[in-house]
Amino acid sequence: MAGGKGERFWPKSRTNLPKQFLNISGNKSMIQQAVARLEKLMSIEQIFVVTNELYAELIRAQIPHLPIDNIIIEPSGRNTAPCIALSSLYIEKRYPDNTMIVLPSDHIIKNESEFVEILRTATTVAERDGSIVTLGISPSYPETGYGYIESSKEVQIVNGMEVHQVRCFVEKPNVITAEGYLNAGNYYWNSGIFIWKSATILHSFEAYMPEIYRVMQDIKVKMDAGLLQEDIHSEFLRMPEESIDYGIMEKANNIHVIPCKFGWDDVGSWTALDRISERDEFGNVIKGNILNIDTKRCIIESNNGKLVATLGIEDLIVVDTDDVTLICSKEKAQEMKLLLKELRIQKMDQYL
C-alpha cells in the first residue's frame, strides 16, 4: 500500500513526494526497500503496488522492473478496507485462489531475513487454517501511538515459531493502559501486516463489510467484461471510507498473531528517527550541514546544504528545506497535521 501522504513527516514529505518515496534510512527509498524485501520471498511479477494516479510515475521511476500492470490505481484514497478490496480483485484475477500478503510501503525492518521467514510461516498458517494471520510486534516500551493486539493462551508451534490465537484488537491506549499492556506480556503492537487466502478475505468482506462486498461483486462483473478502468473506478467510489482494522479485524474470530522482533518501526513521525538513527553523545540525530552547541536530544536536518546552527536548545525538531523551515517540540510531533490544516486555511497549498 503506497498511497499515503506521510503528513506527519512534513516538510520533507510533501504531496508530490511523500514519505514512502524518500530515503529515510539506508541508501534506498522506503518503497524500494519494501519491494527488495519481498523479492527474497517471491518474484517481482507477484508483487503489486496500490497507489493513486499522482504517484504512479514515481513508482515506475523508483521500481522500473515492476510490471506496469502490477500498479493498481485507486481513484481516491478511502482508507485501507476499500484499498485492500480493490487490490484483492485485481490479484485474484491474475492469480486465482492466491495467498495474499498486505503490508504498508513505508516501514523500517532491520532484520529482513527473519522477517521473510516469519512471512513463510504466516502463509503456511493462512493456507492450512483458512485464517487471517497478522504480525504482532513485541512492545519494548509503552507506546501510545499504536493500536495493540491481545492474544489468548491458545498457542501452536509452526516452523519453530509461536502462533497465538487473537483475542481482540484494541485502539491506541493512554500511557497508563499502555504500561499495563507492556507488563501483561500478551499484547503486541499492530504492525498493519496481514496474510490470508483470497477466499478468506472475500468471505470476511461478505460477513463484516457487506456494503463493500456488494461493490466488489459489481467491480468483478465489470472487470470480467473487460470494461475500462474509468468504469471500475466509478464503482470503487461507492465504497464507504473505512479501515480494515475497524471493518474486519475487530470483528472476525479466526485470526492468528505471530509475535515478532525483527527491528520494526512504522516511521510515523519525526521522532521515529530517535529509534532508527544513530545519535551523537548528546542524544541528537543530525543530518546535513549542522553546527550545534549545547544542544541535546534534538532532531536536526538540513536538506539544502545551508548551515543550520543551534545553541542551547533541547528536545526540538528542526528541519530546513528549500522553502520551509520547521521548528517543533518533540512532544508535538504527532500533531503535525495542525500545521497542514492551517496552511490549507490560509490557502498556502504550495507548501503542502
Side-chain angles (χ1 to χ4, degrees):
M1 296 183 289
K5 295 181 179 179
E7 290 184 331
R8 285 179 294 172
F9 233 79
W10 185 85
K12 189 173 181 180
S13 179
R14 301 290 185 95
T15 298
N16 62 348
L17 190 66
K19 179 179 65 173
Q20 61 268 29
F21 299 104
L22 298 175
N23 179 351
I24 303 296
S25 175
N27 55 10
K28 295 180 180 179
S29 71
M30 301 188 81
I31 192 170
Q32 287 173 327
Q33 291 180 45
V35 169
R37 247 179 253 132
L38 289 177
E39 286 187 279
K40 297 177 180 179
L41 183 66
M42 65 189 75
S43 71
I44 190 66
E45 287 76 20
Q46 295 171 294
I47 298 173
F48 293 76
V49 178
V50 57
T51 189
N52 59 62
E53 188 63 51
L54 184 63
Y55 305 138
E57 287 303 321
L58 278 171
I59 291 167
R60 293 187 185 107
Q62 292 204 0
I63 317 169
H65 63 305
L66 180 75
I68 291 177
D69 289 344
N70 287 26
I71 301 174
I72 301 170
I73 303 296
E74 288 182 288
S76 173
R78 304 188 71 77
N79 216 317
T80 52
C83 167
I84 290 168
L86 181 67
S87 302
S88 65
L89 290 173
Y90 277 102
I91 295 170
E92 175 68 11
K93 188 172 178 64
R94 286 269 297 278
Y95 296 98
D97 194 31
N98 67 81
T99 301
M100 183 176 171
I101 299 169
V102 178
L103 64 166
S105 60
D106 56 356
H107 287 181
I108 293 292
I109 293 173
K110 294 182 178 179
N111 191 336
E112 296 190 347
S113 60
E114 183 177 350
F115 173 71
V116 169
E117 289 308 308
I118 289 172
L119 287 182
R120 291 188 199 278
T121 297
T123 57
T124 297
V125 175
E127 291 170 352
R128 185 191 66 190
D129 299 347
S131 62
I132 293 171
V133 183
T134 186
L135 307 188
I137 309 302
S138 299
S140 52
Y141 60 94
E143 172 62 58
T144 59
Y146 299 150
Y148 283 71
I149 302 167
E150 181 187 3
S151 70
S152 72
K153 295 181 180 179
E154 298 177 46
V155 181
Q156 54 181 307
I157 304 298
V158 182
N159 298 339
M161 299 179 190
E162 290 188 0
V163 180
H164 298 241
Q165 184 75 27
V166 169
R167 181 171 291 161
C168 67
F169 283 69
V170 292
E171 300 295 332
K172 297 174 183 178
N174 58 33
V175 173
I176 295 174
T177 303
E179 288 175 347
Y181 292 165
L182 185 64
N183 294 330
N186 66 323
Y187 285 82
Y188 305 94
W189 292 334
N190 181 1
S191 69
I193 298 172
F194 305 105
I195 303 93
W196 49 54
K197 287 182 66 64
S198 57
T200 300
I201 194 60
L202 185 66
H203 293 155
S204 297
F205 275 117
E206 183 178 17
Y208 306 112
M209 305 191 79
E211 189 174 351
I212 284 183
Y213 178 77
R214 287 192 293 270
V215 177
M216 289 175 71
Q217 296 306 104
D218 292 339
I219 289 176
K220 186 177 185 302
V221 169
K222 293 195 173 186
M223 289 175 67
D224 291 343
L227 295 184
L228 297 174
Q229 192 175 67
E230 288 78 7
D231 298 300
I232 294 170
H233 284 177
S234 66
E235 295 290 347
F236 176 85
L237 295 173
R238 292 168 46 212
M239 290 190 189
E241 188 171 340
E242 193 64 84
S243 73
I244 199 74
D245 286 46
Y246 180 78
I248 291 178
M249 299 305 152
E250 294 182 8
K251 300 169 184 175
N253 54 21
N254 188 19
I255 307 179
H256 292 96
V257 59
I258 301 178
C260 304
K261 291 182 179 180
F262 44 60
W264 173 90
D265 201 292
D266 77 339
V267 198
S269 68
W270 280 104
T271 52
L273 296 187
D274 279 333
R275 301 189 294 269
I276 66 174
S277 305
E278 291 186 8
R279 287 177 280 179
D280 67 14
E281 59 184 314
F282 300 107
N284 300 304
V285 176
I286 303 296
K287 184 177 181 180
N289 190 14
I290 312 296
L291 173 66
N292 62 81
I293 297 175
D294 193 22
T295 296
K296 300 175 182 177
R297 301 178 303 279
C298 290
I299 296 169
I300 309 172
E301 182 167 325
S302 175
N303 293 293
N304 53 19
K306 185 172 67 177
L307 175 67
V308 173
T310 65
L311 174 63
I313 63 172
E314 299 181 1
D315 300 307
L316 292 182
I317 299 165
V318 180
V319 182
D320 191 52
T321 70
D322 289 339
D323 58 346
V324 174
T325 301
L326 168 72
I327 303 171
C328 171
S329 68
K330 281 187 175 181
E331 66 179 5
K332 294 290 186 179
Q334 295 288 344
E335 300 177 31
M336 198 66 67
K337 291 185 178 182
L338 294 177
L339 282 175
L340 304 186
K341 180 180 178 181
E342 188 63 27
L343 286 174
R344 293 185 180 100
I345 290 172
Q346 297 194 26
K347 301 187 184 305
M348 302 171 73
D349 291 357
Q350 71 269 27
Y351 297 112
L352 293 174

